[in-house]
Amino acid sequence: MSILHSRATNNAIFDNPPFANGREADIHITRQGSDFYYAVCAFMGFFAIVFLASSLTKHRTNRLFFYLVAAYHFTACVAYYAMGSNLGFTPIEVEFSRQDSDVRGDARQIFWVRYCDWFVSTPLILLTLFLTAGAPAPLIFLTIFMDEFMIIMGLVGAVTTSGYKWGFFAFGCAALCVVLWNLIWQGRKYARHLGSDVSRAYILPMTILLLSWICYPIAWGVSEGGNVIAPTSEAVFYGVCDIVAKPFFSIALLFLHRKIDPARMGLKFRDYDDDFAIMAHQNGTTRGHHAHDRKDSPPLGEGVRASEAADHPIAADGTAAHHDAVHHDTTTHPA
């Protein structure tokens, strides 16, 4: 029984102690934090499989949104597995030393793998919304760039030990404002022009995403930034935000997409059998035209000779006939 109990117990924080880059993190997750990370890992993995399996209900050319949604859930699943295993972090000296036992110490555990997840997954989330709205490529490029810039600023600020971290935090918040502006105003305008059903499929998921994303700067400020809450509480804060921004957002998006033809959003893709049919039709038509042309056309030699005969008449003696123009001088001279 003791062996079974030891196997059922989560020992990740003991198997992988909070030690990295030659330093130990005094402020790190507890076993409860590891359990929560593993639970979110299972949650993300479950929905990734569900969304991927649900794509089989659609034609191959209409599965883009299912694949995008499954992709960022698989990415989050791996990241949460790493954090649950107490891996993918680095100890960083805190700017604010606290007396609370949960956050007392000199070095805090900073999970850089979380930012790797966001760097991959958040552009895919934005892409699902902008493809829904039929937004142009320049708007998509700008928003995704600002999103990734925001993620990098958050990571750089998190690993900065001095008060200069708040400068990077400010840069990241400014980029977030650009992202939210493009989502709320620009994307909504494009979606509205595609119809009321497309507009609903954009606005509701966008609202869910908006409510969750505005919480991330708060979570950063009280965890990596200000060292106010413990890493286990940080896990719950970020985990709830990720659950809202990924599974809840995705369920709403795919549900509202269920009766919308992707071609209305400019997402018409050809399948391999469609290409074969088109090529067969074109080849058959081309062969028919070529056969008709060969049937009606004279032999090559005869055609050339007939053309030459029309351009150069032949005289009876076998020489080419030349027509000389005779000019009569009609000028009269006075007598």
Side-chain angles (χ1 to χ4, degrees), residues 111-146:
F111 284 103
W112 51 261
V113 71
R114 187 196 314 278
Y115 295 89
C116 295
D117 166 28
W118 291 341
F119 191 83
V120 175
S121 62
T122 55
L124 298 179
I125 294 174
L126 292 174
L127 191 59
T128 60
L129 279 176
F130 282 124
L131 290 179
T132 298
L139 178 62
I140 297 175
F141 169 78
L142 173 63
T143 309
I144 289 181
F145 169 78
M146 297 305 295

Side-chain angles (χ1 to χ4, degrees), residues 184-315:
I184 296 172
W185 298 107
Q186 302 298 325
R188 185 170 54 87
K189 292 180 181 179
Y190 287 101
R192 187 171 61 242
H193 284 284
L194 295 180
S196 59
D197 53 346
V198 176
S199 181
R200 285 193 299 271
Y202 177 84
I203 291 177
L204 179 59
M206 184 268 294
T207 303
I208 296 174
L209 189 69
L210 173 66
L211 294 176
S212 63
W213 276 24
I214 60 177
C215 295
Y216 283 95
I218 301 174
W220 191 96
V222 298
S223 55
E224 293 105 322
N227 190 36
V228 176
I229 62 175
T232 297
S233 301
E234 169 192 334
V236 176
F237 201 154
Y238 279 130
V240 172
C241 290
D242 280 346
I243 289 173
V244 175
K246 290 185 174 72
F248 287 5
F249 163 84
S250 303
I251 291 172
L253 180 79
L254 295 179
F255 178 78
L256 294 172
H257 265 266
R258 70 191 188 282
K259 295 182 179 180
I260 300 176
D261 185 3
R264 292 175 54 192
M265 297 169 278
L267 301 175
K268 178 63 176 178
F269 303 104
R270 292 184 298 177
D271 203 356
Y272 61 85
D273 51 357
D274 295 335
D275 291 342
F276 178 81
I278 293 173
M279 292 175 61
H281 174 72
Q282 291 177 344
N283 291 338
T285 304
T286 304
R287 285 195 296 269
H289 284 307
H290 287 173
H292 178 74
D293 293 341
R294 287 194 299 270
K295 181 179 179 181
D296 295 341
S297 301
L300 180 60
E302 295 181 5
V304 172
R305 288 194 295 271
S307 175
E308 292 177 350
D311 294 338
H312 305 286
I314 306 300

Side-chain angles (χ1 to χ4, degrees), residues 5-16:
H5 177 72
S6 62
R7 289 183 177 179
T9 303
N10 179 9
N11 294 319
I13 61 173
F14 303 107
D15 296 335
N16 303 306

